Amino acid sequence: MEEIIKIEGIVKNYGKHKVHDGLDLAVQRGECFTLLGPSGCGKTVLLRLIAGFEQPDAGKISIGDTVVTDPAGGVNFSPDSRGIGMVFQDYAVWPHMSVFDNVTYPLKLAGVSKDEMLARGMETIAMVGMEGLDKRLPSELSGGQQQRVALARALIAKPSLMLLDEPLTNLDANLREEMRFEIKELQRKLDITVFYVTHDQEVALAISDRIAIMDDVGKIRQIGSPWDIFESPADPFVFSFMGIANFLPVKRSGKDYLVGNGSQIINWEKPSNDSSDWVAGFRPSDVEIAHGGDGLRGVIKRASFLGATMDYLVDIDGTHLRTSVETHEALAKDLMFKDDEPCVISFRNLLWFDAESLKGIEKQLEGKGAMA
Ligand SMILES: Nc1ncnc2c1ncn2[C@@H]1O[C@H](COP(=O)(O)OP(=O)(O)OP(=O)(O)O)[C@@H](O)[C@H]1O
Ligand SMILES: [Mg+2]
């Protein structure tokens, strides 16, 4: 595998604020690589460093075989000499220019002939599904169509590398869902490398060959396939970032593992070493909920109908946990619970985390999971 982007020891400070402090990262040619991290962790700053709109305080960036950024060696290639297409977070399209003029603007700057501009402009407009709209002004387009204009403008110079910064945030849910498959399709068809930046884990799962998870201080926590990241999270941060996460404190007592106030035993394969403080991590769909039988006894604190699923917040000895049941299953199996009803939960899947590993990520967990 050949690296198309190589980031080595990047340091970037704004005054006293350290955004990146020795970051290393490599993207392989031809892959769709997603950098996923919370707001403010330094994703846009990193893309701007790669594209050449910002300079790091230290470190090196290479594109293919060329070192394009190396302040120590006095190297700083201009953005337009890096051969990169970029779609910015706010996807600024020029309001006074037609779709055609917006899309072909990079060719105009490059001094390409009128005939070639017309041919490539129309071809690229068609590629993003905007045939017939070339004469419109941005104000006559929907948000999603404006997004396509920005995408076409980045594609027209036929870059082998595209940097996409949250290009779908301003779109409504249905359009976002559709556009992410289109981006993936374009990436395959044009055989380009995509470096995609987002805080939306569903987009990342849908389009990526590999995902890197960055935490709020710009540290990479895990790099892997969507499957690896979702099924084998490296730590509680990654686990909680990839979806609704429950963390249930568990204490070892002899052979038993006890939850909450110690009155209930958790029945699951034991963790791999015998420290005494553990946290059981699981997602709402990892739980089976019932009226009785084996499992942890709790009480429904809140029953919510979410359409396809029923969402139940369950109180187990003072810890609140999010659980879910598909609505049709809940109806078929008499699992439509009401507030304050007793229930029993058992696990389909559970991950053990060392209680220590949750320290320092309380901020990220706020409002995300159901940690009590
Ligand atoms: N020009 C700048 N001057 C000072 N601070 C900056 C500048 N640009 C970015 N920052 C700071 O750097 C940090 C990282 O910003 P960045 O825009 O990369 O976040 P992000 O991960 O893209 O977040 P989001 O998901 O909200 O877009 C933030 O704390 C931000 O305030
Ligand atoms: Mg950003």
Side-chain angles (χ1 to χ4, degrees):
M1 286 278 259
E2 184 201 349
E3 283 166 0
I4 187 164
I5 307 177
K6 194 165 179 198
I7 293 161
E8 296 167 272
I10 285 293
V11 175
K12 179 67 184 174
N13 303 320
Y14 290 108
K16 284 205 190 98
H17 183 169
K18 279 195 164 83
V19 180
H20 294 299
D21 191 18
L23 181 74
D24 297 316
L25 197 63
V27 176
Q28 309 293 335
R29 192 177 289 280
E31 74 176 333
C32 184
F33 186 92
T34 301
L35 178 63
L36 181 63
S39 188
C41 74
K43 304 182 296 294
T44 298
V45 168
L46 184 63
L47 285 194
R48 292 178 58 80
L49 287 165
I50 297 169
F53 296 111
E54 298 263 0
Q55 280 297 293
D57 298 296
K60 238 193 232 181
I61 299 174
S62 312
I63 310 283
D65 296 329
T66 313
V67 176
V68 292
T69 297
D70 178 14
V75 178
N76 176 20
F77 280 53
S78 70
D80 53 4
S81 65
R82 295 186 180 208
I84 296 175
M86 180 155 176
V87 178
F88 295 94
Q89 201 159 6
D90 50 12
Y91 67 85
V93 290
W94 289 289
H96 60 286
M97 285 177 13
S98 69
V99 168
F100 181 84
D101 290 343
N102 262 289
V103 170
T104 55
Y105 190 71
L107 300 186
K108 193 174 166 191
L109 285 187
V112 166
S113 75
K114 275 231 154 80
D115 285 350
E116 190 182 342
M117 225 156 81
L118 183 64
R120 280 171 66 183
M122 288 312 196
E123 181 196 20
T124 315
I125 288 169
M127 202 189 290
V128 298
M130 295 273 290
E131 295 101 328
L133 301 178
D134 52 293
K135 294 196 179 62
R136 295 243 187 123
L137 288 172
S139 59
E140 299 163 329
L141 299 173
S142 71
Q145 289 168 333
Q146 292 185 39
Q147 190 59 64
R148 284 163 207 252
V149 173
L151 198 58
R153 188 177 55 197
L155 283 169
I156 197 159
K158 302 195 168 138
S160 53
L161 172 60
M162 287 274 281
L163 308 180
L164 301 179
D165 192 356
E166 298 270 17
L168 308 181
T169 24
N170 296 322
L171 307 182
D172 68 49
N174 286 337
L175 202 53
R176 188 158 64 226
E177 145 109 331
E178 187 187 315
M179 279 295 284
R180 66 190 187 196
F181 293 117
E182 285 184 23
I183 287 177
K184 182 76 195 165
E185 192 59 39
L186 272 175
Q187 184 245 338
R188 279 208 201 101
K189 203 162 74 189
L190 303 175
D191 195 22
I192 51 179
T193 310
V194 167
F195 188 175
Y196 194 102
V197 150
T198 182
H199 53 211
D200 183 335
Q201 77 273 9
E202 284 184 20
V203 172
L205 288 172
I207 68 166
S208 311
D209 295 306
R210 289 194 305 151
I211 300 174
I213 309 282
M214 184 175 266
D215 68 15
D216 58 331
V217 293
K219 188 170 159 243
I220 305 272
R221 295 280 189 137
Q222 187 171 5
I223 299 179
S225 68
W227 181 262
D228 288 340
I229 300 269
F230 197 80
E231 289 295 320
S232 313
D235 58 35
F237 178 88
V238 175
F239 183 66
S240 71
F241 204 76
M242 295 309 293
I244 297 168
N246 290 300
F247 292 105
L248 180 62
V250 176
K251 269 200 188 313
R252 187 170 65 98
S253 162
K255 286 202 313 309
D256 294 331
Y257 288 77
L258 306 173
V259 303
N261 55 17
S263 62
Q264 303 199 56
I265 293 176
I266 190 163
N267 209 352
W268 192 258
E269 197 180 315
K270 304 293 179 270
S272 53
N273 69 51
D274 50 37
S275 339
S276 59
D277 288 319
W278 291 93
V279 171
F282 52 93
R283 303 208 184 278
S285 56
D286 291 337
V287 168
E288 240 165 310
I289 189 161
H291 291 282
D294 289 341
L296 298 173
R297 291 177 308 282
V299 173
I300 304 281
K301 290 296 287 182
R302 185 189 66 210
S304 317
F305 170 59
L306 301 183
T309 57
M310 292 299 303
D311 182 282
Y312 298 122
L313 185 68
V314 177
D315 181 330
I316 306 275
D317 297 342
T319 303
H320 291 175
L321 305 168
R322 291 273 298 275
T323 69
S324 70
V325 187
E326 283 181 31
T327 304
H328 68 83
E329 190 191 338
L331 283 169
K333 297 188 180 165
D334 185 26
L335 296 173
M336 298 298 276
F337 286 88
K338 292 190 198 66
D339 289 1
D340 303 321
E341 247 187 286
C343 65
V344 172
I345 66 166
S346 53
F347 298 101
R348 292 192 184 104
N349 191 26
L350 184 155
L351 296 168
W352 289 112
F353 296 114
D354 196 311
E356 278 294 307
S357 65
L358 263 92
K359 295 215 170 104
I361 66 159
E362 294 85 354
K363 203 174 125 231
Q364 284 86 299
L365 299 180
E366 261 170 43
K368 276 223 64 154
M371 192 145 183

